[in-house]
């Protein structure tokens, strides 16, 4: 719902109250907020401590409580505790009643409960937050600075250190006005650290991504990871830690609940997660695809509005025809269009359907802006479709959208998870397949890794890494997503494989759980969720893109009340085995839970990922864009990419229509855009 930017002086002798740094830092903070003004067009707030050691900046998209009293930063009555928050918190009414006698609320904003919770629970306040958020809190009396991010990373939060000052912001571009000079982190690029962990493609800009508490050197620069926080006391170097992590049951523990009970458990929790996300003082809509996830959201919203009288944002009409849904409509012959299926779902529900045409010219026109705003290269055209949808939603006056992200990661929805599901039997659920059945099915389905048209290769991955990951293979796919035509000199940074780097970045307790307690399907879900999902998918197809057009998206499937329940379900109820020669049904228990709210077509349809078109004509608009971006001058300016190999991929992409080569060419193009817009120095050995 907003954009945030903050500054904290670090060191033994921080600035005193002589005001020496105030003018320049005030100006830098303002320019920092200018770069994310699209995230908060409704109000702006800037605050500085009297001694000039702390600066908080906020741009607001008004969603709940549209009054000026809800503008940020927030300050408590004693003027001791100050906070800026980006996001939505869904349990504020409960805590207003609980803490109203001890904290004086100044607004009806959901985000103001951050101050009340901190004053009541101390640092444990983070565990009481329910929703999608990134926040910064300053306790001036105790000299405590806290930055934190929601459990799944729906909202982004980065930090870096420039001139002995800690900078924390919603987007990396916010650091530029403070003098940050981005440099490529070639080791992170070669090891895919920017995909798997807290790192980015820039040196020192990461998420807070450690499970255990550790002290960071002030020369490091980092990003706040999902379920983590950073903290500085008395202007000393920051510490980082997790306040929450994903957990799964012991795979050997028998499940005592019935299948019917668990189906109802999913249905009840998903319905409630959707219901709380309907609250807004502005219009609300839905992103609808041809898949079961967004269709289930739409179906349950229609049920809540029609049968339970729920309010849809600020609309109290209870008319299904007032529910607006938006669907990307790629060219019909592209093989990527699902708009016909989505339209049938909308008509079945009786809701208002709005297709958003996205042809090659639109992809080209939005390509560079998608990269700039997402700050994350992802080799697909679907990000441009997401940007187009947000633009159309805004034109209809919609400020809040419900989406379907997060279902595949928890219910075993990706085809790429099938191989890991078949690594072991599931002793927690007796009807699961035997070892013999698993072997037969695995042999039959060994070619399932074709969804992204990516050649999977784990050559060079040490056996010790396979043992650390209990032979799960999801990282082989994800590592290929970060493949680039690297220049030969970068091989000095390729001693460690991406799979090994990811395995070694995990907390020892997580590695122990992978080796001894978790089923391989749950291991694969964990690795996907903690890396590729939060670092790429939620940036390129989420908040960063939606907010370009002042649209806040809310993913009910990432409600932790729901996910903690789903994580405890037997793997064999997520992916259903029928017989050795029959199909595997992904997201089985979700299908059963939402069956009453979706069409039979959706209920029986096999999962298809949201991917953009991969075949384009030679010398067409996209080919011309790629040729321009991958000129020798542009590629040489990167320093870490081989131009000749890049040109071969461009040729194969448009002459031979090879999807994998198109993705490689896209990756190079996206890095070129980042290089130019961020002003990144050329990488050298």
């Amino acid at each position: 719902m907003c954009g945030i930017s903050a500054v904290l002086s670090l060191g033994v002798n921080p600035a005193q109250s002589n005001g020496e740094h105030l003018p320049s830092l005030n100006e830098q903070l303002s320019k920092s907020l200018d770069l994310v003004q699209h995230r908060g067009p409704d109000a702006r707030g800037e605050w500085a401590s009297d001694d000039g050691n702390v600066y908080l900046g906020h741009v607001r998209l008004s969603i709940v409580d549209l009054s000026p009293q809800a503008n940020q930063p927030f300050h408590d009555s004693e003027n001791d505790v100050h906070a800026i928050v980006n996001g939505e918190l869904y349990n504020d009414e409960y805590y207003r009643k609980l803490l109203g006698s001890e904290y004086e609320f100044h607004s009806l904003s959901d985000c103001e409960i951050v101050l009340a919770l901190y004053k009541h629970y101390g640092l444990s306040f983070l565990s009481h937050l329910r929703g999608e958020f990134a926040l910064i809190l300053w306790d001036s009396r105790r000299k405590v600075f806290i930055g934190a991010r929601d459990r799944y990373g729906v909202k982004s939060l980065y930090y870096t250190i420039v001139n002995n000052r800690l900078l924390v912001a919603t987007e990396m571009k916010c650091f530029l006005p403070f003098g940050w000079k981005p440099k490529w982190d070639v080791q992170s690029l070669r090891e895919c650290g920017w995909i798997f962990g807290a790192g980015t493609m820039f040196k020192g800009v990461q998420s807070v991504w450690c499970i255990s508490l550790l002290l960071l050197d002030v020369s490091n620069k980092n990003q706040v990871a999902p379920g983590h926080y950073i903290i500085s006391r008395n202007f000393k170097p920051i510490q980082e830690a997790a306040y929450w992590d994903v957990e799964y049951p012991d795979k050997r523990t028998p499940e005592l609940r019935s299948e019917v009970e668990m189906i109802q458990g999913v249905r009840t929790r998903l319905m409630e997660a959707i219901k709380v996300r309907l609250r807004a003082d502005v219009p609300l809509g839905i992103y609808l695809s041809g898949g079961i996830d967004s269709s289930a959201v739409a179906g349950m919203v229609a049920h809540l509005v029609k049968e339970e009288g729920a309010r849809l944002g600020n609309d109290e009409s209870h008319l299904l025809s007032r529910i607006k849904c938006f669907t990307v409509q790629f060219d019909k012959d592209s093989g990527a269009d699902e708009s016909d299926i989505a339209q049938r779902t909308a008509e079945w529900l009786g809701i208002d359907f709005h297709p958003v045409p996205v042809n090659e010219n639109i992809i080209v026109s939005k390509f560079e802006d998608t990269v700039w705003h997402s700050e994350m290269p992802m080799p697909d055209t679907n990000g441009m479709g997401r940007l187009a949808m947000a633009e159309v939603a805004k034109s209809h006056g919609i400020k809040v959208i419900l989406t379907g992200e997060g279902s595949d990661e928890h219910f075993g929805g990706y085809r790429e998870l099938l191989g890991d599901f078949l690594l072991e039997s599931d002793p927690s659920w007796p009807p699961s397949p035997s070892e013999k059945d698993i072997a037969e099915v695995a042999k039959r389905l060994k070619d399932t890794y074709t969804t992204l048209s990516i050649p999977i290769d784990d050559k060079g991955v040490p056996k010790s890494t396979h043992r650390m990951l209990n032979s799960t293979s999801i990282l082989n796919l994800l590592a290929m997503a970060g493949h680039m035509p690297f220049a030969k000199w970068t091989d000095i940074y390729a001693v460690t494989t991406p799979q090994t780097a990811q395995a070694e970045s995990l907390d020892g307790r997580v590695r122990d759980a992978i080796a001894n307690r978790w089923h391989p399907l749950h291991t694969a879900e964990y690795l996907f969720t903690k890396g590729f999902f939060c670092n790429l998918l939620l940036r390129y197809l989420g908040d960063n893109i939606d907010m370009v057009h002042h649209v806040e998206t809310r993913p009910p499937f990432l409600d932790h009340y729901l996910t903690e329940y789903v994580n405890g379900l037997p793997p064999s109820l997520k992916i259903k085995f029928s017989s050795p020669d029959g199909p595997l049904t992904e997201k089985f228990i979700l299908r059963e839970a939402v069956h009453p709210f979706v069409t039979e077509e959706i209920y029986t349809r096999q999962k298809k990922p949201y991917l953009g078109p991969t075949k384009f004509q030679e010398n067409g608009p996209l080919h011309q864009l790629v040729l321009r971006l991958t000129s020798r001058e542009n590629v040489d300016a990167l320093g870490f990419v081989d131009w000749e190999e890049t040109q071969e991929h461009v040729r194969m992409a448009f002459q031979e229509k090879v999807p994998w080569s198109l993705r490689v060419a896209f990756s190079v193009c996206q890095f070129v855009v980042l290089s130019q817009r961020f002003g990144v120095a050329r990488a050298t050995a």
Side-chain angles (χ1 to χ4, degrees):
M1 62 174 257
C2 305
I4 58 180
S5 184
V7 182
L8 173 72
S9 296
L10 295 174
V12 179
N13 297 305
Q16 300 302 311
S17 56
N18 55 19
E20 179 182 351
H21 300 291
L22 291 178
S24 61
L25 281 177
N26 275 329
E27 183 179 351
Q28 290 169 343
L29 181 68
S30 182
K31 290 181 178 179
S32 175
L33 294 176
D34 288 343
L35 290 172
V36 289
Q37 181 64 43
H38 56 276
R39 299 186 64 94
D42 298 328
R44 178 188 288 224
E46 299 175 29
W47 175 87
S49 62
D50 291 338
D51 58 13
N53 287 319
V54 182
Y55 291 77
L56 303 178
H58 186 273
V59 289
R60 182 186 180 204
L61 179 67
S62 302
I63 300 295
V64 175
D65 185 358
L66 309 184
S67 72
Q69 286 73 31
N71 293 343
Q72 301 186 39
F74 294 123
H75 314 279
D76 71 343
S77 299
E78 295 77 26
N79 205 36
D80 286 337
V81 185
H82 317 269
I84 47 179
V85 185
N86 169 33
E88 295 294 336
L89 303 174
Y90 303 114
N91 50 2
D92 63 302
E93 293 175 326
Y94 169 78
Y95 283 112
R96 283 179 180 277
K97 294 178 182 178
L98 180 67
L99 305 178
S101 62
E102 63 184 72
Y103 178 85
E104 181 183 354
F105 287 93
H106 299 283
S107 74
L108 295 177
S109 169
D110 53 302
C111 293
E112 194 181 355
I113 65 167
V114 166
L115 292 183
L117 288 171
Y118 172 75
K119 297 191 74 169
H120 186 79
Y121 291 106
L123 189 55
S124 294
F125 82 99
L126 294 168
S127 299
H128 295 269
L129 300 177
R130 179 188 186 184
E132 305 91 40
F133 62 86
L135 64 88
I136 297 167
L137 183 144
W138 169 244
D139 185 334
S140 60
R141 185 177 61 85
R142 297 180 56 223
K143 301 295 185 288
V144 172
F145 181 96
I146 299 168
R149 192 174 174 203
D150 66 71
R151 293 167 178 81
Y152 285 105
V154 179
K155 303 297 182 182
S156 55
L157 192 65
Y158 299 91
Y159 70 92
T160 190
I161 297 172
V162 175
N163 296 327
N164 211 32
R165 293 191 182 95
L166 174 67
L167 309 176
V168 188
T170 302
E171 298 181 13
M172 291 183 285
K173 58 179 66 72
C174 292
F175 301 145
L176 294 170
F178 295 101
W180 173 56
K181 304 295 183 185
K183 297 179 181 179
W184 297 119
D185 188 337
V186 180
Q187 183 169 351
S188 179
L189 292 170
R190 289 305 307 257
E191 294 180 357
C192 293
W194 60 287
I195 294 176
F196 292 149
T200 69
M201 70 291 298
F202 298 127
K203 282 188 177 179
V205 180
Q206 303 170 287
S207 294
V208 181
W209 218 99
C210 296
I211 303 302
S212 58
L213 195 66
L214 57 93
L215 188 65
L216 296 180
D217 183 271
V218 295
S219 63
N220 285 347
K221 308 163 187 178
N222 303 280
Q223 168 191 201
V224 183
H228 286 66
Y229 67 91
I230 55 173
I231 184 168
S232 170
R233 296 179 174 88
N234 294 312
F235 309 105
K236 293 180 180 179
I238 60 174
Q239 295 174 315
E240 63 174 81
Y243 67 87
W244 183 89
D245 196 18
V246 178
E247 185 53 86
Y248 304 96
D250 191 312
K251 59 189 176 184
R252 295 158 296 196
T253 302
E255 176 57 66
L256 302 179
R257 294 169 294 181
S258 70
E259 184 174 311
V260 172
E261 178 185 355
M262 287 183 280
I263 290 171
Q264 185 59 48
V266 171
R267 181 180 298 156
T268 299
R269 286 164 178 81
L270 177 57
M271 186 75 77
E272 200 266 342
I274 292 171
K275 186 175 182 178
V276 298
R277 283 166 175 78
L278 296 181
R279 182 192 173 198
D281 296 328
V282 296
L284 184 149
I286 302 167
Y287 282 163
L288 181 64
S289 71
I292 194 169
D293 308 328
S294 62
S295 298
V297 171
M300 286 186 164
V301 169
H303 171 83
L304 287 166
V305 170
K306 182 179 180 181
E307 304 298 332
E308 299 189 17
R311 194 178 84 169
L312 184 75
N314 64 351
D315 183 0
E316 300 185 34
S317 70
H318 308 303
L319 297 175
L320 296 184
S321 59
R322 298 286 293 273
I323 302 175
K324 295 182 183 295
C325 64
F326 304 90
T327 302
V328 169
Q329 186 179 66
F330 289 118
D331 290 341
K332 296 295 184 181
D333 60 353
S334 67
D337 181 54
E338 295 184 343
S339 61
D340 289 344
I341 301 174
Q343 183 170 3
R344 290 193 288 271
T345 293
E347 291 172 350
W348 184 76
L349 292 172
I351 61 180
D352 190 16
F353 178 72
H354 295 273
V356 180
V358 178
N359 58 28
E360 184 174 358
N361 287 324
I362 291 176
I363 290 172
V364 169
S365 68
K366 297 185 182 301
F367 186 94
E368 294 181 67
D369 282 344
T370 299
V371 179
W372 165 245
H373 288 293
S374 69
E375 302 184 329
M376 188 57 61
M378 186 170 166
D380 204 300
T381 56
N382 50 11
M384 299 89 206
R386 183 78 173 222
L387 185 59
M389 272 204 302
E391 185 175 15
V392 172
K394 177 191 174 185
S395 72
H396 284 268
I398 302 296
K399 293 183 81 172
V400 177
I401 291 281
L402 267 58
T403 71
E405 284 86 31
S407 170
D408 292 316
E409 290 72 20
H410 292 89
F411 288 97
Y414 293 114
R415 293 177 61 197
E416 291 73 27
L417 295 173
L418 296 181
D420 291 333
F421 168 70
L422 293 169
L423 283 176
E424 294 181 9
S425 62
D426 179 11
S428 71
W429 192 247
S432 65
S434 66
E435 297 286 354
K436 180 181 178 181
D437 289 339
I438 286 175
E440 291 183 20
V441 176
K443 182 179 179 180
R444 180 167 56 86
L445 299 178
K446 66 179 180 178
D447 296 326
T448 53
Y449 296 135
T450 58
T451 303
L452 298 178
S453 301
I454 293 176
I456 307 304
D457 182 12
D458 65 349
K459 187 171 72 173
V461 179
K463 292 182 179 180
S464 59
T465 298
H466 288 292
R467 296 186 186 104
M468 278 192 284
L469 298 174
N470 194 18
S471 298
T472 52
S473 58
I474 190 68
L475 290 186
N476 297 334
L477 170 76
L478 303 185
M480 293 307 295
H483 177 78
M484 294 274 288
F486 289 107
K488 184 64 178 176
W489 70 265
T490 67
D491 287 348
I492 60 176
Y493 295 105
V495 176
T496 301
T497 67
Q499 296 90 328
T500 302
Q502 165 69 343
E504 292 180 347
S505 74
L506 300 171
D507 181 88
R509 290 167 293 182
V510 173
R511 288 197 300 271
D512 180 73
I514 289 173
N516 300 305
R517 293 194 298 109
W518 292 351
H519 188 278
L521 173 65
H522 286 154
T523 293
E525 289 182 343
Y526 182 92
L527 295 172
F528 196 100
T529 301
K530 301 292 282 190
F532 188 89
F533 179 61
C534 65
N535 286 343
L536 270 74
L537 289 183
L538 288 180
R539 303 280 69 76
Y540 195 72
L541 298 172
D543 178 73
N544 288 42
I545 295 301
D546 303 320
M547 290 292 283
V548 173
H549 294 292
H550 328 319
V551 172
E552 175 189 87
T553 44
R554 300 175 176 179
F557 282 105
L558 293 179
D559 187 286
H560 75 281
Y561 288 8
L562 170 65
T563 61
E564 288 176 347
Y565 183 83
V566 175
N567 288 342
L569 299 175
S572 294
L573 285 182
K574 297 180 180 181
I575 298 177
K576 187 75 168 182
F577 173 90
S578 56
S579 64
D581 57 351
L584 290 173
T585 304
E586 82 281 351
K587 295 193 285 194
F588 168 78
I589 195 167
L590 176 65
R591 292 175 187 271
E592 299 305 311
V594 304
H595 192 180
F597 310 100
V598 301
T599 65
E600 284 299 309
E601 177 183 27
I602 292 297
Y603 171 69
T604 59
R605 187 171 187 251
Q606 187 181 53
K607 159 72 180 178
K608 292 183 184 290
Y610 169 53
L611 297 172
T614 58
K615 295 182 179 181
F616 297 89
Q617 292 302 311
E618 187 178 10
N619 297 319
L622 189 63
H623 190 197
Q624 294 301 317
L625 173 71
V626 170
L627 289 174
R628 174 173 65 81
L629 290 174
T630 59
S631 68
R632 179 180 286 275
E633 180 183 8
N634 287 342
V635 173
D636 286 350
L638 294 175
F640 60 88
V641 174
D642 182 270
W643 183 77
E644 284 79 10
E645 186 179 347
T646 297
Q647 292 307 299
E648 178 60 14
H649 278 293
V650 172
R651 184 194 66 77
M652 293 175 64
F654 291 96
Q655 291 185 8
E656 301 180 21
K657 306 295 187 292
V658 178
W660 167 241
S661 287
L662 182 69
R663 298 186 187 283
V664 173
F666 274 175
S667 290
V668 177
C669 289
Q670 290 168 331
F671 275 99
V672 167
V673 172
L674 290 175
S675 173
Q676 294 175 346
R677 295 212 179 183
F678 275 88
V680 189
R682 184 179 188 273
T684 57

